[in-house]
Amino acid sequence: MKIAVFGLGYVGIISAACLAEQGYKVIGVEVNDIKINEVNNGRSPIVEPYVNEIVSKVVKSGNLEATDDFESAVKNSNIALICVGTPSSETGEVDLSFIFKTAQQIADALRKKENFESEYVILIRSTSMPGTVDKFAEVVQSISGKKRKKDFDVVSNPEFLREGNAVNDFYNPPFTLLGCECERSEKIVRQIYSFLEAPFIVTSVKTAEMLKYVNNTFHGLKVGFANEIARICRKKGIDSREVMELFLLDKKLNISEYYLRPGFAFGGSCLPKDVRALSYESKKNGLSLPIIENIMNSNSLHIEWAFDIILKEKVTNIGVMGITFKNGTDDLRESPAVVLVEKLLGKGKNVLVYDENVRLSKLVGSNREYIEREIKHISEILIEDQEKFLDSVDLVVITNRENSYRELLNSYQKKELIIVDLVNIFPEKRSSKNYKGIGW
Ligand SMILES: NC(=O)c1ccc[n+]([C@@H]2O[C@H](COP(=O)([O-])OP(=O)(O)OC[C@H]3O[C@@H](n4cnc5c(N)ncnc54)[C@H](O)[C@@H]3O)[C@@H](O)[C@H]2O)c1
């Protein structure tokens, strides 16, 4: 297998050097003469542990060379890795001009290329917005006259390395991710990375393209969050390092998968009140903590989002399954489902509510007060008879993951209901036309 690597920056030189170290013949394509000369003289164009040694070794062995001649690089390879930069433009939008320049170059070269050993596979390693791979393929197809998934393919293969630890990360990624919708290309890419022990995961092209943005945004969010905690702690004379060390000890809820699966908004008697309190406290102390201050706003927008999904169905008789803030409780305080019901009633919808854990006759104290205050005629819309509930509505919104709701809806055969699933309780129904998810 012969590999052309476009862009010999941080990502490109690591891939080029390490793949050459694994025995592949690699041609690095660069537009910067200084970088080309450095590589051809056996030196790394970037400062990064171990890279100089590897580049020196693989250039000497003849496995790596650098050039600006993209045409001969494509002619003499059957795989291309695109590692060019995708910087921010002035507006913050990702600048994909370097990516599309390589699309044109590869297309020009492919137009003239004959005697394909197999299809030419182009791996986009640069971080680029979902849709870029397909546009890249369109450009190549229209200029080269070759056909995607027959003569060539373009796939997404995002890079997860961190500068400073890049060689180690290249050889030990969390997993190799391939966004690819063609078995032939998948087989070729699997072969390239066969020396890696990490799991090899294949997904759709757009999912793979999206992941790198999700990762990096989350990393930014973590740093920003920890630093906002530091600012409020310092104002209050508390050591934020100690607070965060203790925070990190909780591997059940804090550092875990918990709370990271998309679904409905949060609520309950603690989270909203405590987020609000910390936000207020920061303002009182003259601080601006935009991440913390915007959490409640983001949560409200998510309720609006669910509301809009329901309204789009243009249905009058709506059933809400689950009025508590989560399953397994009768706690209604600050439940996002209560807000949703209020909003639907406000739009003139006929709303009925069924909740496994809520019987109005048994509600006492703050729960009863809360629901009677928030939803005026709650006794008229909260219904205990499951059959009557489903018979009376045309659309059901599921707001919490009570398993009995699944069973109930699965056994109901009288008519086809539209299901708006806010908690992913029905993953198997996703392709059905009467099913709407909140973020899938
Ligand atoms: N740097 C990282 O740690 C890292 C990690 C993961 C992913 N990424 C992503 O990888 C991509 C590359 O990042 P980088 O840090 O290596 O960028 P970089 O700016 O260091 O390198 C890009 C290289 O591409 C070259 N180039 C531009 N147009 C070219 C063309 N038409 N043909 C050949 N070469 C061309 C440039 O001269 C430059 O040397 C970006 O999308 C980035 O977001 C970077």
Side-chain angles (χ1 to χ4, degrees), residues 360-378:
L360 204 56
S361 52
K362 291 195 184 143
L363 278 185
V364 286
S366 52
N367 254 340
R368 178 148 197 141
E369 259 173 48
Y370 182 76
I371 193 72
E372 283 180 340
R373 189 178 65 237
E374 298 299 316
I375 303 178
K376 291 290 174 262
H377 303 288
I378 185 69

Side-chain angles (χ1 to χ4, degrees), residues 315 317-320 350-352 388-396 412 415-417:
V315 168
N317 301 318
I318 296 172
V320 175
N350 299 329
V351 182
L352 286 182
K388 196 170 153 205
F389 169 75
L390 294 177
D391 284 350
S392 317
V393 300
D394 301 307
L395 179 154
V396 172
Y412 185 75
K415 61 183 169 187
E416 194 153 5
L417 292 161

Side-chain angles (χ1 to χ4, degrees), residues 207-346:
T207 302
E209 289 176 296
M210 188 67 187
L211 190 71
K212 183 74 193 182
Y213 285 104
V214 177
N215 287 359
N216 279 351
T217 304
F218 186 53
H219 301 161
L221 176 68
K222 290 206 304 192
V223 174
F225 174 74
N227 288 339
E228 288 195 1
I229 295 296
R231 303 209 286 278
I232 180 82
C233 281
R234 191 167 193 280
K235 270 276 179 192
K236 298 188 83 59
I238 300 163
D239 179 350
S240 64
R241 280 269 164 179
E242 190 187 346
V243 169
M244 290 310 282
E245 286 310 325
L246 293 170
F247 169 88
L248 293 169
L249 286 181
D250 180 351
K251 309 277 189 241
K252 254 190 180 165
L253 296 184
N254 295 350
I255 306 305
S256 72
E257 296 180 9
Y258 222 84
Y259 299 128
L260 279 173
R261 298 216 161 76
F264 196 27
F266 65 77
S269 63
C270 293
L271 251 78
K273 122 180 133 55
D274 296 348
V275 170
R276 246 183 247 123
L278 195 62
S279 233
Y280 182 87
E281 195 64 19
S282 75
K283 281 192 205 128
K284 202 172 88 184
N285 280 278
L287 290 172
S288 170
L289 306 183
I291 295 175
I292 293 171
E293 281 163 22
N294 279 298
I295 294 173
M296 290 310 295
N297 186 24
S298 167
N299 204 46
S300 302
L301 288 173
H302 204 56
I303 301 174
E304 289 286 335
W305 175 253
F307 180 58
D308 287 346
I309 291 171
I310 299 165
L311 288 192
K312 269 203 194 99
E313 295 308 308
K314 303 201 183 316
V315 168
T316 305
N317 301 318
I318 296 172
V320 175
M321 287 185 106
I323 189 76
T324 58
F325 83 96
K326 64 174 183 182
N327 59 312
T329 176
D330 67 348
D331 198 347
L332 294 156
R333 288 171 297 170
E334 299 231 26
S335 169
V338 171
V339 180
L340 191 62
V341 169
E342 280 179 288
K343 288 172 78 64
L344 290 168
L345 288 169

Side-chain angles (χ1 to χ4, degrees), residues 6-12 29-32 35 83-86 98 101-102 105 125-127 159-163 212:
F6 280 72
L8 294 177
Y10 287 85
V11 167
V29 185
E30 230 321 317
V31 288
N32 181 325
K35 290 187 182 181
C83 305
V84 297
T86 51
F98 299 113
K101 177 82 189 163
T102 61
Q105 291 172 329
R125 306 228 70 194
S126 301
T127 307
E159 173 58 78
F160 298 118
L161 63 77
R162 293 159 298 169
E163 286 174 25
K212 183 74 193 182

